[in-house]
Amino acid sequence: MRWRLMAAFMAVTFVVVVVQDVPLGNYLMQVERERITTSLERDAFLLAGRSEDTLEARTGIDPALAADTRRYHRASGARVVIVDADGTAVLTSDDDQSSAGASYLSRPEISAALSGQITSGQRRSDSLGTDLLYVTVPVLSGESVVGAVRLTYPAQVVTDQVHRQLRMLWLVAGITVLLAGIVAVLIAGPVTRRLQQLRRTTEQLAEGDLAARTPEHAGAPEIRSLARSFNRMADRLEYLLRQQRAFAGDASHQLRTPLTALRLRLDSAADLVESEPDAARSTLASAQDEALRLQHIIDALLVLSRADDAGTAPQQIDLAEIARTRVEQWAPLADESDVRLTVTAPTAAPTFAVPGAAEQIIDNLLDNALAVSDPGSTIEVTVAPVAAADVVDLHVLDQGPGLSPQDCLRAFDRFWRARTDTEGSGLGLAIVAQLARASGATAELLPRTPNGGLDAHVRFRAPAYR
């Protein structure tokens, strides 16, 4: 990844440099040509002023003007041609004056200057075999054109000058691309190290090391966020695997006893079918009871398993309406046991819980309360919003024998039962605790004093009250 990132940085930088330097090279070419043209125009006007008297008098070549022309040629590299009004060269910058006396009237720029126009541009010179930059200005005496001055400059000189500047630009561009690669390596180093560390942690987790975690406080913000997400996933995975192992262990332990008892009763009934039919029927009835108990344990284990795996986000519910509905459903069973069932709740009590959790919590608490309530006693279900804390309290109060404070803490353990002679599976309160955790709620058992019994208290989160 480090080398791919470096290559990407360098490629992007190279593209940016090319996009920037190519137009810049063209601009430099244009600027350099305009600079030289402007300089040539200025010098041409100066030479035109110096040669005005000579061209007007037609007295021959002025030695001082000839010397100035040659010095200018040697200093600037530009070739000078001065022509009279007929287009005949009277002075050139060549030391041998080989072009003096030749007619330049066929040159378009000379003809234009003799007509009073200032011309400049670039054209191909067939005699020299190269491109030339030229500037031609008329020599005026009053309103009359008495000659013209032409300065020519090799276009290759301009190109060479621009190329020298471009070479410097491309050298800077190359250094920039190289620096981009170095910066990419420096940036990619910490990122790849953190990703490699995360990969190693993933491999450790895949190999069964559930305690493997990756540091969360190093690297870029995105890497730290990824590390936190990974650790949350690892925590959740560890929790689910431990719950799965605990579920498997608890299920195998708790199912072994009823299955053994069921097998023994069935074997005994098979032995008594022919010799003692009545005893066989009694044994089969006991086997049916044991099978029913086994079914209850399996149902409770399945409910608890689904509660452990609950990944649904809590949703807003009306706890008061649910409490009234569940009490109404349990009232006939309470009447059969001669137990009075009451509910006290406001008109509405909005809370948060996973779907179906509140109903199962109330059902399990009422089931436990009815199992320990004597005839003539009362079970109270209350829903009480606590506006100051943004919570809603659910209480299921019974008048049974109660539990010690120590047993109240242990009651939420799986398969724990206060007495071994009861028919319960020992999973009801474990289901309550798990559903409460999934809903962001808390569950506890509190001894009731002084009349005895238990207060099964579940505190739900609620929307902020205003």
Side-chain angles (χ1 to χ4, degrees), residues 239 243 308 314 361 412 414 430 432-443:
Y239 171 76
Q243 289 294 104
D308 286 340
I361 288 173
F412 291 101
R414 296 183 179 188
V432 169
Q434 181 59 36
L435 289 173
R437 281 193 294 270
S439 301
T442 58

Side-chain angles (χ1 to χ4, degrees), residues 124-352:
R124 181 74 178 177
S125 173
D126 295 331
S127 59
L128 297 177
T130 185
D131 289 336
L132 296 176
L133 289 177
Y134 65 86
V135 171
T136 308
V137 299
V139 179
L140 300 176
S141 177
E143 295 182 357
S144 302
V145 177
V146 295
V149 176
R150 188 191 74 175
L151 302 182
T152 57
Y153 200 82
Q156 187 62 38
V157 175
V158 178
T159 303
D160 293 342
Q161 177 67 21
V162 173
H163 284 171
R164 283 194 294 271
Q165 296 179 7
L166 287 179
R167 280 194 293 271
M168 291 299 299
L169 285 176
W170 285 112
L171 177 61
V172 172
I175 295 174
T176 303
V177 172
L178 182 61
L179 288 176
I182 296 174
V183 170
V185 171
L186 295 177
I187 293 175
V191 174
T192 54
R193 283 196 298 270
R194 291 290 292 120
L195 290 178
Q196 289 171 357
Q197 186 177 39
L198 187 60
R199 177 182 58 80
R200 288 192 296 269
T201 306
T202 304
E203 292 174 350
Q204 293 173 358
L205 192 64
E207 291 172 358
D209 183 5
L210 298 181
R213 298 293 185 274
T214 187
E216 299 181 0
H217 305 293
E222 295 79 5
I223 299 295
R224 295 199 297 269
S225 176
L226 177 61
R228 286 192 293 270
S229 299
F230 176 85
N231 287 340
R232 284 197 299 270
M233 178 198 70
D235 291 339
R236 178 64 176 167
L237 181 61
E238 181 181 14
Y239 171 76
L240 291 177
L241 288 176
R242 295 191 187 281
Q243 289 294 104
Q244 184 184 46
R245 292 169 183 172
F247 175 82
D250 292 341
S252 62
H253 174 74
Q254 293 297 321
L255 293 177
R256 185 181 300 112
T257 299
L259 283 173
T260 302
L262 180 60
R263 181 178 57 81
L264 292 174
R265 283 179 171 80
L266 291 176
D267 290 343
S268 177
D271 294 338
L272 296 173
V273 167
E274 295 181 358
S275 60
E276 298 180 40
D278 293 337
R281 281 192 293 272
S282 177
T283 303
L284 287 174
S286 299
Q288 288 177 338
D289 293 338
E290 201 66 34
L292 184 60
R293 178 170 174 254
L294 181 62
Q295 179 183 347
H296 289 163
I297 292 176
I298 293 173
D299 290 342
L301 285 172
L302 290 175
V303 172
L304 187 58
S305 177
R306 287 193 294 269
D308 286 340
D309 295 337
T312 306
Q315 300 176 5
Q316 185 168 317
I317 61 169
D318 185 355
L319 186 60
E321 178 62 27
I322 291 174
R324 283 190 289 266
T325 300
R326 301 321 301 160
V327 168
E328 182 181 348
Q329 293 293 324
W330 281 86
L333 183 58
D335 291 340
E336 290 182 6
S337 302
D338 194 21
V339 175
R340 183 165 173 262
L341 193 58
T342 66
V343 59
T344 303
T347 304
T351 59
F352 292 108

Side-chain angles (χ1 to χ4, degrees), residues 84-99:
D84 58 17
D86 298 326
T88 301
V90 298
L91 180 64
T92 69
S93 59
D94 301 331
D95 292 335
D96 57 2
Q97 292 293 314
S98 59
S99 298

Side-chain angles (χ1 to χ4, degrees), residues 349-388:
T351 59
F352 292 108
V354 296
E359 291 86 346
Q360 293 187 61
I361 288 173
I362 295 174
D363 287 346
N364 279 286
L365 294 179
L366 287 177
D367 188 21
N368 286 348
L370 283 172
V372 299
S373 294
D374 296 327
S377 62
T378 301
I379 298 175
E380 303 174 37
V381 178
T382 64
V383 177
V386 183

